[in-house]
Amino acid sequence: MKDYVFPSKPLANPKSIVQGPNYRFTILTDRLFRYEWAEDNVFEDRASTFAINRELPVPDFRVVDREDELEIITDHFHLSYDKERFSSSGLMASFSAKITLWGAQWRFASGRQRENLGGTARTLDEVDGRCDMGEGVISRFGYAEIDDSKSMLFDGEGFVAGRPAGDRVDGYVFAYGHDYRGAIKALYQVSGQQPAVPRYALGNWWSRYYAYSQEEYVALMDKFKKMDVPLSVAVVDMDWHMVGDDAVPHAGWTGYTWDKKLFPDPKKFGKDLHDRKLKITLNDHPHAGIHYHEDGYEEMAAFLRHDTTHKNPILFDPTNPKFMEAYLRILHRNIEDVACDFWWIDWQQGEHSKVPGLDPLWMLNHFHFIDASQKREPLIFSRYAGRGSHRYPVGFSGDTVTTWASLEFQPEFTATASNIGYGWWSHDIGGHMMGSRDDELVTRWIQFGVFSPIMRLHSANNRWSSKEPWLYRKESELVISNFMRYRHRLVPYIHSAAEPLIQPMYWDFPDKDIAYSVPNQYFFSELIVAPIVKPRSKRTNLARVKAWLPYRCVDIFTGTVYDAGEIEMFRTLGEIPVLAREGSIVPLDVNPSNGCLRPDEFEVLIVVGKDGRFELVEEEKSFTVTFDQKTGILKSDIDRPCTFRFLAITSKPSGFKAPEGAEISFEAYPSVPSMLVKVAKACPVELQLGGSPQLGKIDQRDRIEKMLLDYQVEFDVKDRIWNAVVDEEVGLNVRVRKLLGTADEELVGPVVELVLADGRA
C-alpha cells in the first residue's frame, strides 16, 4: 500500500544517540529522552503510533561513560544508568527544575507517575460521572513518562506491523518542569502535529440514532433553516444502510448498502443536503465484514479473489493490506461518490486482531484519514485509539449518559485531553442514553457544546430525547437557538485559533495552586469559559459556578468588568460566563446562517486596557487586527465591512477619531454595554480612542433590579437587599456587610458578585 505512506522521519540523528550492549538512549531535546533495552541488541527505528519523528536538532549534552555507569547530562536532566537490565535502582534521572522542596527524580518502572495531570480515555461509553483519564506528558512534579513498548509500528511501505517478540523496552521521558506548553510542543514534534479541521466541522452538527427516511431527513434540515437555527454537518446514523431487512444475514450493525425503503434515491439525498450547504457523514460499524447481499460484495470479492461459490462473507481483516485497499477504494469510495463527505467510524469491539499489537481502531483511524487526505479535506469521526490519535481528528467520545454528572465531567475531560495533545473531542451534546427529561440540563449542555471543540447534538433512538430546540419549553428553545446561532458566529475565531483549542488554566499558571482547583474552567483559545454544570436555584432562578480570573476580564455576554480573583458567578438560563481579558480581540461572523462559509461582514469584540493582536486566518490568506493601549489606536486590514464593539466602553473617549462615514452607537443593559463603530469601507481601518483608554465603570443597578424581580422569595427580603444595594451614603465594604446581613447566601451571593465585580472607585 505504497499510496498510504505518510511523511515521517523516525531515524534520529546519530549524534543524538548513546548506545551500548542491549541499551540505547536518544537525546531528542535537552528535556526529552528516549530509552531502549533490547535483549538481542536490535533496536527499533520504525515509526510507531506514538513517535513518527525522531529526527530533531541535536541538543547540547555530555556523556560520562565509565565501566559500570553511564551518565548523560543536559542543562535540565542528569541521567544515570548502571549498564544492567533496566531497573528502578539502576536507571534514573534527576531534574534541575525546582518544582518541589525535595526535588524530583524519575526511576524506571517505579510504578508511579507523580502528580501526572492526566490525558484522555478511549470512550465515555456508559460513564456516568468521572472516569480514568490516563496520563499525559505533563505533571506537577515536572516530568512524565510514555511507555511505547507495545505500540503498533509503521513499516515504511504504507502498512503496519506489530512489535518484535523478546525482552524489549521502549520509553520516553518528558522533563519540562512546569513549562507545560514546551512539553506539548515536544509531543507534537515527536508525535506529529494535530491537523486543522475543515471549516465546516466547526459549525453545528445534527445527529440522532433514528431510522429517518430520505424525505423526512431533508424536511428536518429545512425546518432548522425555517427556525433560523444553523447547521453545517448532517450526521446519518446506522439506519442509512439495510439493518432489519430479511436479506441481512446478521445483527445488522454493519452495512454498506443503502436501505432503498428509507432512501430510494441516495444520490438525490446527497445533492439535496449539499445544496443546503451541509456536509454528510455516515455511520460505519465494520466488524461484521461484507456479506453477499451488499452492493459491493462482488466487486470486493473479485479484487480479493474471494470464493463466492457459497456466498461466504468477506471477513473484516485490517491486518491484510489487500483487504484494507479494497475496503477503502472499492467499498467506501463507491458510497462516498453517492452521498458521504467523511465517515463516522464506530468501532466498539476492542483492541485485538489477528496480529498481536495491531489495534483495529488504530488501523481504521490511520488508513481512513490517510485515504481522506488523498482526495479532499481530511476528516474522520472516530474514537480515541491511544497516544498519537491527535493526528486523526475528530474524536467521538462515545454514548454519553444523560445526567448532570456526565455534563459536569465533560469540560474537565475535554481540557485534560490537551495534556496528551488531543484537541478535537466531539461529545454527545445533550446526552445520548438513559437519564430523564430535563430541559435545563440539555440547555446547559448545549451552552458548553458551543464553547467546546466540536458542537454535535445527539440522542438515542428514543422518541422523547431528540434535540430539536423547538421540542423544549419556550425558555429553553430560545436559549438553545440563540447559542447555536452564536456557535456559527464564532467560526472565524475558532478557525483562527492556535491548537489545541481548549487548554486547562494551569497551562498558563503552573505555579498557582488555584489554577488546578477549577478543573471545569478552561481557555477557549484566548477566552476564559466557566460552563455551568449544576441546576439553578428555584428561589433565584440562577445557577452558580466557581471561577478564578487571573487578571481583569469582561464578560462578553453581559459587559460586566471583573477584577482578578476567585469569584462565585451566578447566571440565568440564558447566560454562561465567557470572559475576555484586557487586550482581547475576538472576530465574529455577523451572519450565523451562511453555513460556515467565508463571512461577508464581521463584528470584532475588543477589550481595551492592554495591547492586543489577533490574526484572522482564512483559507486563502490572513488578516491582522491590533490594538495599542498606550496610543489607543486600533488597526485592521480585514477586507470586508466590520463593526468594532468595544466592550464596557459606554461613552465616546475624548480623543476618539474614526474614518469618515463610520457609524458610532452605544448599547447599555439589557444589551452588552459597549461602544460600536461600524465601518463599511474596505481595509485598512484605523480607529483612535485617545491615549490609554480604560474600561468604563458599569452601573449594575438595572441588572440587579431585574434579578431581584425574578426572585421567588418574600417581598420584604427583596426590599432589604435592594435598600442595601442603593445605599450610596456608605462605602463599598459597609454595603457588602449590610447585604450579607439581609438574607442567606443563596439570595445575596448573586448581588454581591455584581457589587464587588469591579473594585475600581
Side-chain angles (χ1 to χ4, degrees):
M1 296 180 69
K2 291 187 181 295
D3 290 345
Y4 289 85
V5 175
F6 67 100
S8 64
K9 295 180 179 179
L11 289 173
N13 190 312
K15 294 180 180 179
S16 295
I17 294 174
V18 180
Q19 185 172 346
N22 307 115
Y23 68 83
R24 183 170 75 167
F25 297 95
T26 307
I27 315 306
L28 294 163
T29 77
D30 59 1
R31 300 185 183 194
L32 170 61
F33 64 86
R34 181 190 189 194
Y35 58 93
E36 295 174 273
W37 169 271
E39 187 178 38
D40 58 5
N41 209 37
V42 177
F43 299 100
E44 189 55 70
D45 286 325
R46 288 172 288 182
S48 72
T49 51
F50 170 71
I52 65 172
N53 178 33
R54 305 185 189 100
E55 186 183 284
L56 302 179
V58 180
D60 291 333
F61 67 95
R62 60 190 178 93
V63 178
V64 180
D65 192 351
R66 293 185 287 271
E67 183 177 350
D68 59 353
E69 184 181 22
L70 175 71
E71 295 179 83
I72 303 174
I73 304 164
T74 75
D75 288 342
H76 298 281
F77 68 80
H78 187 147
L79 183 147
S80 174
Y81 170 50
D82 64 2
K83 295 189 174 182
E84 301 292 334
R85 174 69 172 82
F86 288 170
S87 68
S88 58
S89 59
L91 176 59
M92 67 198 76
S94 300
F95 310 108
S96 61
K98 297 179 180 179
I99 303 301
T100 67
L101 291 175
W102 52 89
Q105 187 180 71
W106 168 78
R107 288 181 177 270
F108 172 78
S110 65
R112 292 192 301 172
Q113 285 244 37
R114 301 290 297 275
E115 297 286 329
N116 192 284
L117 289 165
T120 195
R122 189 171 176 115
T123 180
L124 292 178
D125 282 351
E126 300 181 3
V127 173
D128 187 6
R130 299 183 59 80
C131 73
D132 179 21
M133 291 179 281
E135 294 167 342
V137 297
I138 63 176
S139 81
R140 295 194 74 175
F141 265 45
Y143 66 87
E145 178 183 9
I146 295 292
D147 183 0
D148 199 33
S149 302
K150 297 180 180 179
S151 65
M152 190 174 74
L153 301 171
F154 298 106
D155 64 8
E157 299 295 321
F159 209 63
V160 296
R163 293 270 179 169
D167 184 6
R168 301 177 187 278
V169 174
D170 188 354
Y172 297 77
V173 172
F174 289 74
Y176 280 81
H178 280 174
D179 180 10
Y180 296 155
R181 293 187 184 280
I184 300 302
K185 179 181 178 181
L187 168 68
Y188 285 150
Q189 283 180 297
V190 172
S191 197
Q193 290 295 318
Q194 177 178 260
V197 301
R199 191 183 186 97
Y200 67 78
L202 303 177
N204 299 313
W205 297 27
W206 173 257
S207 178
R208 184 187 179 195
Y209 175 31
Y210 179 79
Y212 285 107
S213 70
Q214 177 174 340
E215 182 180 2
E216 187 180 12
Y217 199 103
V218 174
L220 178 61
M221 298 298 99
D222 288 341
K223 178 73 176 289
F224 270 96
K225 183 173 180 61
K226 179 182 177 182
M227 302 299 287
D228 195 25
V229 178
L231 299 173
S232 63
V233 174
V235 183
V236 187
D237 212 308
M238 61 175 287
D239 289 282
W240 66 272
H241 62 74
M242 294 168 63
V243 175
D245 193 281
D246 291 341
V248 179
H250 51 75
W253 289 92
T254 303
Y256 300 98
T257 303
W258 287 90
D259 186 337
K260 294 299 178 63
K261 296 174 184 176
L262 294 175
F263 295 88
D265 191 346
K267 202 165 191 68
K268 184 178 185 302
F269 175 68
K271 183 179 185 303
D272 286 344
L273 294 187
H274 287 153
D275 287 346
R276 288 159 174 78
K277 302 177 185 176
L278 295 166
K279 297 294 185 179
I280 307 162
T281 181
L282 303 178
N283 179 277
D284 181 13
H285 292 89
H287 66 281
I290 301 89
H291 288 250
Y292 64 87
H293 72 286
E294 302 282 14
D295 289 345
Y297 177 75
E298 294 292 340
E299 188 178 359
M300 283 273 289
F303 182 84
L304 296 171
R305 297 183 179 178
H306 174 80
D307 184 1
T308 63
T309 304
H310 302 289
K311 299 182 178 180
N312 291 331
I314 302 169
L315 299 180
F316 176 73
D317 183 9
T319 65
N320 181 341
K322 196 77 171 172
F323 172 84
M324 288 302 293
E325 186 176 355
Y327 169 82
L328 293 166
R329 292 190 169 176
I330 296 174
L331 190 66
H332 285 77
R333 192 76 82 249
N334 288 344
I335 299 166
E336 291 161 13
D337 291 342
V338 174
C340 183
D341 297 294
F342 65 98
W343 287 95
W344 174 5
I345 305 159
D346 206 352
W347 178 265
Q348 306 172 49
Q349 283 71 40
E351 303 175 30
H352 303 291
S353 67
K354 289 182 177 179
V355 178
L358 298 195
D359 180 348
L361 180 57
W362 254 116
M363 302 282 285
L364 290 164
N365 290 354
H366 175 75
F367 285 106
H368 265 288
F369 193 83
I370 298 299
D371 186 62
S373 301
Q374 295 176 354
K375 58 189 185 307
R376 60 187 184 279
E377 292 178 300
L379 188 69
I380 63 170
F381 180 37
S382 184
R383 284 175 169 81
Y384 177 79
R387 295 180 290 254
S389 290
H390 62 270
R391 298 191 300 269
Y392 314 114
V394 166
F396 165 48
S397 67
D399 296 336
T400 305
V401 177
T402 311
T403 61
W404 283 98
S406 289
L407 169 59
E408 186 172 358
F409 180 52
Q410 282 195 358
E412 178 188 359
F413 178 83
T414 310
T416 303
S418 295
N419 296 340
I420 196 65
Y422 199 74
W424 289 115
W425 267 128
S426 169
H427 304 301
D428 286 350
I429 297 300
H432 169 73
M433 61 185 183
M434 297 187 286
S436 60
R437 171 75 179 227
D438 189 330
D439 290 28
E440 182 184 0
L441 170 61
V442 171
T443 305
R444 292 303 189 191
W445 216 321
I446 286 171
Q447 288 171 334
F448 161 64
V450 166
F451 289 92
S452 70
I454 299 294
M455 165 55 184
R456 178 180 54 86
L457 298 173
H458 189 65
S459 57
N461 190 8
N462 183 302
R463 70 182 302 145
W464 313 113
S465 65
S466 195
K467 299 302 187 298
E468 293 95 328
W470 52 88
L471 297 182
Y472 293 83
R473 292 173 178 171
K474 198 64 180 181
E475 178 190 26
S476 288
E477 177 194 347
L478 294 174
V479 175
I480 291 169
S481 300
N482 285 337
F483 270 84
M484 290 182 69
R485 294 183 194 106
Y486 206 83
R487 174 66 184 203
H488 275 232
R489 297 196 65 204
L490 280 166
V491 168
Y493 174 76
I494 301 172
H495 188 253
S496 302
E499 300 190 66
L501 175 66
I502 285 184
Q503 301 166 8
M505 296 300 294
Y506 48 74
W507 274 26
D508 276 3
F509 303 95
D511 298 320
K512 291 186 177 293
D513 288 342
I514 192 170
Y516 300 85
S517 73
V518 284
N520 271 6
Q521 181 183 315
Y522 53 84
F523 285 106
F524 186 71
S525 189
E526 297 180 8
L527 295 170
I528 294 174
V529 182
I532 291 174
V533 295
K534 292 182 180 296
R536 56 188 163 176
S537 159
K538 288 183 170 57
R539 292 201 292 164
T540 67
N541 213 22
L542 301 171
R544 177 196 311 225
V545 62
K546 175 188 174 185
W548 169 66
L549 303 183
Y551 28 59
R552 181 176 292 156
C553 294
V554 179
D555 189 311
I556 68 170
F557 291 128
T558 69
T560 302
V561 180
Y562 290 93
D563 292 332
E566 293 182 80
I567 304 171
E568 291 277 331
M569 293 185 170
F570 300 82
R571 294 295 185 271
T572 67
L573 187 65
E575 303 166 336
I576 64 167
V578 178
L579 302 125
R581 61 170 176 78
E582 293 174 306
S584 292
I585 298 172
V586 180
L588 304 172
D589 191 342
V590 167
N591 176 18
S593 302
N594 80 343
C596 299
L597 302 178
R598 176 182 181 270
D600 296 320
E601 185 176 346
F602 290 94
E603 178 181 341
V604 183
L605 311 183
I606 302 106
V607 181
V608 303
K610 294 186 182 301
D611 293 347
R613 184 181 187 279
F614 191 91
E615 184 178 4
L616 176 65
V617 177
E618 294 190 337
E619 285 69 18
E620 306 83 11
K621 55 183 176 179
S622 62
F623 306 94
T624 304
V625 183
T626 62
F627 178 73
D628 182 87
Q629 173 64 18
K630 184 176 180 180
T631 62
I633 294 176
L634 180 134
K635 295 182 179 180
S636 168
D637 64 359
I638 298 175
D639 64 353
R640 272 149 279 168
C642 289
T643 297
F644 300 94
R645 180 185 289 271
F646 293 90
L647 295 173
I649 291 185
T650 55
S651 61
K652 187 182 295 186
S654 58
F656 181 79
K657 292 182 181 178
E660 184 177 353
E663 299 176 15
I664 298 94
S665 60
F666 294 88
E667 290 186 357
Y669 179 84
S671 297
V672 182
S674 48
M675 178 177 73
L676 285 73
V677 182
K678 185 172 184 178
V679 182
K681 63 181 252 183
C683 67
V685 170
E686 180 174 308
L687 301 176
Q688 298 182 28
L689 277 67
S692 299
Q694 299 299 313
L695 297 169
K697 184 73 174 175
I698 307 299
D699 187 342
Q700 298 287 359
R701 284 177 297 184
D702 287 346
R703 188 172 177 209
I704 292 172
E705 183 177 20
K706 183 178 180 182
M707 189 166 64
L708 286 173
L709 182 65
D710 199 36
Y711 274 19
Q712 307 294 295
V713 298
E714 296 84 354
F715 295 124
D716 66 318
V717 173
K718 295 187 182 190
D719 285 336
R720 291 199 301 270
I721 296 173
W722 179 249
N723 290 337
V725 168
V726 298
D727 186 357
E728 297 181 351
E729 295 182 1
V730 297
L732 179 63
N733 291 335
V734 175
R735 290 168 65 198
V736 170
R737 285 199 298 271
K738 287 182 67 175
L739 276 168
L740 294 175
T742 60
D744 59 66
E745 182 185 357
E746 183 181 351
L747 302 178
V748 175
V751 180
V752 172
E753 174 201 344
L754 297 177
V755 170
L756 292 179
D758 183 358
R760 296 173 299 168

